[in-house]
Amino acid sequence: MLLVTFALALWLGLYLVRLDTIDAGIGLTVYAIGVAMVNLPGWWIFTAVIPAVCWLLAVRRIRAQLRQTQRNERWLLLAGSIFFALSVGSLLLPRLPRDVVLVAVGVDLLLVGYAVAVLDSENIGEVFLPAAVRSLAGAGAVAVIFGAQVGFVIIIDGGSPILRLLLLEVVGASIAVAVFAPAINNMLDRNLFPAVVGDARAAMRDVSEALPRADASSELLAMDAATFAKYTRRALSNLNRPDKLAASPLMSLSLLHAESPLERVGELRTVLIDRIEYLKPDNGSTDITDEWRYYNALYYPYVVGLRPYSRRYTADDLDEEARAVLDWMRAQVPERTLYNWQNAAAELIAKDLRG
């Protein structure tokens, strides 16, 4: 039972990390590592302390969604959190058998992770379960194929501690490879094939992986203006992420006419860039005055790829115009101000698209 708990926690943790639900994903992944090293000193830090911190961060991040939703995931998250706190207390002050408490903590973390994932998916206009079930089935199949070989040796040999640890390592490595297989394949394509071929293969794989996360029941015309603007804002921030655009509710815009999902992603990207261009003032060359703030706030970070507040970002490949905007943002535009400008500009574009 502890092996199953380890495998499920590791899979969901890594899968959530892939979906950018970092806090809950790290909590589950660290818990799984703690289960694997349960006979080593300090194991309780990995199974109790770090997961608890990550759980608190996740709940804090989605507290606004908790106030807004009335769905079952809200109560599932609250119930899972309560039982998780009780289980962690039992783990730190042991009164029950250790393995029983570890399984209880794992179940509670899985409930919390699932609820956080569903709420996060709803917040960005995606669905969680179909793609997650597909990922779980693939990871489970790979883990069984490779783990069964070590398990067979354990049955014959009697199960030494080293073999049991090897079983956890093989199952964990199999799950990690299965979860990150698309990213691994993308890296190989981009490094082993010419740039155009590698990027095209990676884009097709990203789009196909994202399609099960798209919410087919989403109706743009029935959305309120704030929700539509939120989805537009997210799509603008993911102009160079085909996987995120493919799962966006904006994929059902009537402006898009292509049949192929990959072509629709390209159309959506073109439409959004065109709407950014409409924000460009008609007064000659690019400027850094207040009149240009909405255009600059979207075009340069999302189309050009400027990261003005990153210390690691270098401006070596920028032209003179982009370099001037970068210097202006760093010197005169606080990060929060740029964020507010991007929100305001996204609302203008969303209003244009709805019109």
Side-chain angles (χ1 to χ4, degrees):
M1 190 63 184
L2 201 58
L3 175 62
V4 175
T5 304
F6 162 80
L8 288 175
L10 182 63
W11 163 76
L12 184 56
L14 295 178
Y15 186 72
L16 292 182
V17 169
R18 256 198 69 198
L19 295 183
D20 297 330
T21 305
I22 304 296
D23 38 29
I26 290 178
L28 279 159
T29 303
V30 170
Y31 169 78
I33 294 173
V35 170
M37 56 182 290
V38 70
N39 293 316
L40 299 177
W43 61 270
W44 56 272
I45 297 176
F46 291 85
T47 55
V49 178
I50 297 178
V53 172
C54 294
W55 160 74
L56 288 173
L57 292 174
V59 173
R60 179 182 178 186
R61 178 176 54 80
I62 64 170
R63 64 185 185 278
Q65 296 166 238
L66 287 176
R67 287 195 296 266
Q68 295 169 6
T69 183
Q70 296 296 326
R71 296 189 50 173
N72 292 335
E73 287 76 19
R74 174 185 177 180
W75 306 111
L76 179 62
L77 179 57
L78 294 177
S81 300
I82 292 171
F83 285 110
F84 172 64
L86 295 174
S87 299
V88 168
S90 300
L91 192 62
L92 297 177
L93 301 172
R95 294 178 180 273
L96 297 173
R98 185 183 62 187
D99 288 357
V100 173
V101 178
L102 282 173
V103 171
V105 173
V107 172
D108 296 336
L109 275 175
L110 289 170
L111 292 176
V112 172
Y114 170 77
V116 169
V118 171
L119 289 170
D120 272 349
S121 296
E122 289 182 352
N123 187 49
I124 60 178
E126 298 179 4
V127 291
F128 174 75
L129 205 54
V133 170
R134 167 65 178 81
S135 175
L136 176 60
V142 175
V144 168
I145 290 172
F146 291 98
Q149 301 177 48
V150 181
F152 181 70
V153 175
I154 290 176
I155 293 174
I156 295 176
D157 189 62
S160 66
I162 294 178
L163 283 177
R164 292 181 183 277
L165 180 60
L166 178 62
L167 175 61
L168 291 175
E169 291 177 350
V170 170
V171 170
S174 301
I175 291 172
V177 170
V179 170
F180 290 105
I184 295 171
N185 285 323
N186 286 351
M187 180 184 67
L188 293 174
D189 285 344
R190 290 191 170 104
N191 285 279
L192 298 179
F193 291 111
V196 175
V197 176
D199 289 344
R201 284 173 58 90
M204 287 188 289
R205 185 178 294 109
D206 285 340
V207 171
S208 65
E209 286 288 322
L211 287 178
R213 302 201 310 269
D215 187 358
S217 64
S218 179
E219 297 183 9
L220 295 182
L221 294 179
M223 288 181 188
D224 58 85
T227 302
F228 190 88
K230 179 177 66 175
Y231 294 154
T232 302
R233 170 75 168 85
R234 178 170 174 80
L236 288 167
S237 66
N238 290 307
L239 281 175
N240 297 314
R241 294 282 304 273
D243 56 328
K244 299 297 183 182
L245 289 181
S248 171
L250 269 61
M251 281 285 282
S252 59
L253 279 172
S254 60
L255 294 169
L256 310 181
H257 304 292
E259 295 293 333
S260 163
L262 184 60
E263 292 178 352
R264 288 182 72 86
V265 167
E267 277 190 327
L268 177 57
R269 186 175 187 275
T270 300
V271 165
L272 292 174
I273 293 177
D274 286 344
R275 292 311 187 275
I276 293 175
E277 292 290 342
Y278 289 156
L279 299 175
K280 189 175 184 179
D282 188 17
N283 63 356
S285 60
T286 302
D287 204 341
I288 53 177
T289 61
D290 189 62
E291 187 180 7
W292 286 78
R293 66 188 186 281
Y294 290 157
Y295 172 79
N296 289 344
L298 292 183
Y299 180 79
Y300 286 98
Y302 297 149
V303 180
V304 177
L306 293 189
R307 289 182 293 166
Y309 309 108
S310 173
R311 294 181 179 180
R312 297 182 180 180
Y313 181 71
T314 59
D316 298 338
D317 300 329
L318 298 180
D319 56 31
E320 184 177 348
E321 202 171 76
R323 193 183 300 271
V325 173
L326 177 63
D327 293 339
W328 167 68
M329 286 182 175
R330 285 176 170 173
Q332 302 185 34
V333 183
E335 186 172 0
R336 183 65 187 179
T337 299
L338 179 64
Y339 180 80
N340 291 335
W341 287 352
Q342 290 171 337
N343 285 340
E347 289 178 5
L348 293 175
I349 291 178
K351 184 177 180 181
D352 184 25
L353 290 174
R354 284 170 68 90

